[in-house]
Amino acid sequence: MIKSALEKVMSHDLSELWTILSSDEKRLIVDNFTIHNFKKNQIIYAERDEPEYLWCLLKGKAKLFKDGVGGRQQILRLIRPVQYFGYRAHFAQEPYVSSASAMEASVLGSLPMSVADQLINSNRKVAWFFIHELSRNLGNSDTRIVNLTQKHIRGRLAEALIVLKENYGYEDDGTTLRIYMAREDLANLSNMTTSNAIRTLTSFVSEKIIVVDGRQIKIINEPALRKISKFG
């Protein structure tokens, strides 16, 4: 199971991390890599937990989120296969400031951060890999903060749908998003109330930009959606 999981990592775009390792370093990972199966909505780690592991999503979908005022949840980032996460707090030498959970039944791999530290100390290219990832995530977070605070509701929801498309893609029909989200999750991703998310979805349907069937969303006019996201 571990071998097949690592082969999946190696076959993905993020296999850059694997290609810069020596044979001994690869063996170190194999010897310390653990596979976990998570159920839908199961917590991977919680805010204020100590960061012990480098996590890698191998199959499924996951989210990073933070509980806000009045019990409302803000989704900070979506995780897709194969992405690494859960390491920033360790590098900052602080507990987690957000939580992570599976959005559907998912398979994850974990590596003790002590092993990650060992790899970073022995291989400068590994250090640069994580510097690049952290820098890219920081840039995306900066952009997202501006969008969530300055865009109107329509623009925020349009952007959320585009983010879902870019993270998870379409089903084979080329229009249905490859993720089924509850309206509450969609609202939490867009920084709005659930009722506003439902009303805005309805307006997009009436404008023939999307088609909604339960939790399935089909984007039938992506250029129009991107225009709303950009100027909304």
Side-chain angles (χ1 to χ4, degrees):
M1 180 64 180
I2 292 179
K3 182 179 178 181
S4 63
L6 291 179
E7 286 176 347
K8 183 175 180 62
V9 175
M10 286 187 285
S11 66
H12 194 269
D13 290 342
L14 292 184
S15 61
E16 173 193 350
L17 180 58
W18 187 262
T19 60
I20 60 180
L21 299 175
S22 67
S23 57
D24 287 342
E25 290 168 337
K26 291 176 182 177
R27 174 52 56 186
L28 180 65
I29 289 180
V30 170
D31 290 344
N32 291 276
F33 198 75
T34 304
I35 299 294
H36 308 264
N37 291 286
F38 283 83
K39 298 177 181 178
K40 181 179 179 180
N41 296 326
Q42 185 175 353
I43 296 294
I44 301 167
Y45 59 78
E47 187 175 347
R48 293 186 292 277
D49 282 353
E50 290 297 325
E52 300 180 75
Y53 300 102
L54 168 66
W55 289 95
C56 180
L57 179 65
L58 300 174
K59 182 180 180 182
K61 300 175 181 67
K63 64 182 177 182
L64 305 186
F65 67 92
K66 191 173 181 66
D67 291 325
V69 178
R72 283 187 59 191
Q73 187 185 99
Q74 179 65 53
I75 297 178
L76 305 174
R77 186 153 57 96
L78 299 173
I79 307 296
R80 64 179 183 273
V82 173
Q83 285 187 316
Y84 304 93
F85 64 100
Y87 53 84
R88 187 212 62 83
H90 171 78
F91 294 152
Q93 297 182 336
E94 63 184 21
Y96 285 118
V97 297
S98 61
S99 304
S101 68
M103 299 179 69
E104 63 183 35
S106 301
V107 180
L108 292 95
S110 67
L111 188 72
M113 284 305 309
S114 58
V115 176
D117 286 342
Q118 186 175 341
L119 294 171
I120 289 170
N121 290 331
S122 65
N123 189 333
R124 186 173 62 179
K125 292 181 179 179
V126 176
W128 277 110
F129 172 85
F130 284 109
I131 290 172
H132 171 76
E133 289 299 299
L134 285 168
S135 300
R136 187 173 63 177
N137 290 336
L138 179 60
N140 289 339
S141 294
D142 288 347
T143 300
R144 183 159 169 73
I145 288 172
V146 173
N147 290 340
L148 288 178
T149 55
Q150 295 190 5
K151 285 186 178 181
H152 296 297
I153 287 177
R154 283 169 58 86
R156 296 204 302 269
L157 188 63
E159 180 186 342
L161 295 174
I162 294 298
V163 167
L164 292 175
K165 183 264 177 180
E166 291 180 344
N167 273 273
Y168 302 119
Y170 290 129
E171 300 285 4
D172 292 339
D173 63 4
T175 59
T176 303
L177 291 174
R178 193 176 285 133
I179 181 173
Y180 304 148
M181 288 190 76
R183 298 296 180 266
E184 183 179 6
D185 274 341
L186 193 55
N188 292 339
L189 182 62
S190 310
N191 190 30
M192 64 178 67
T193 63
T194 303
S195 59
N196 278 337
I198 292 172
R199 281 195 293 269
T200 308
L201 279 176
T202 301
S203 72
F204 287 172
V205 170
S206 65
E207 295 167 37
K208 295 182 171 50
I209 296 173
I210 64 173
V211 172
V212 176
D213 182 9
R215 292 190 177 185
Q216 285 188 330
I217 298 177
K218 295 186 178 185
I219 299 178
I220 57 177
N221 191 342
E222 187 175 326
L225 194 66
R226 290 186 178 276
K227 184 176 181 181
I228 294 171
S229 174
K230 183 175 181 181
F231 298 107

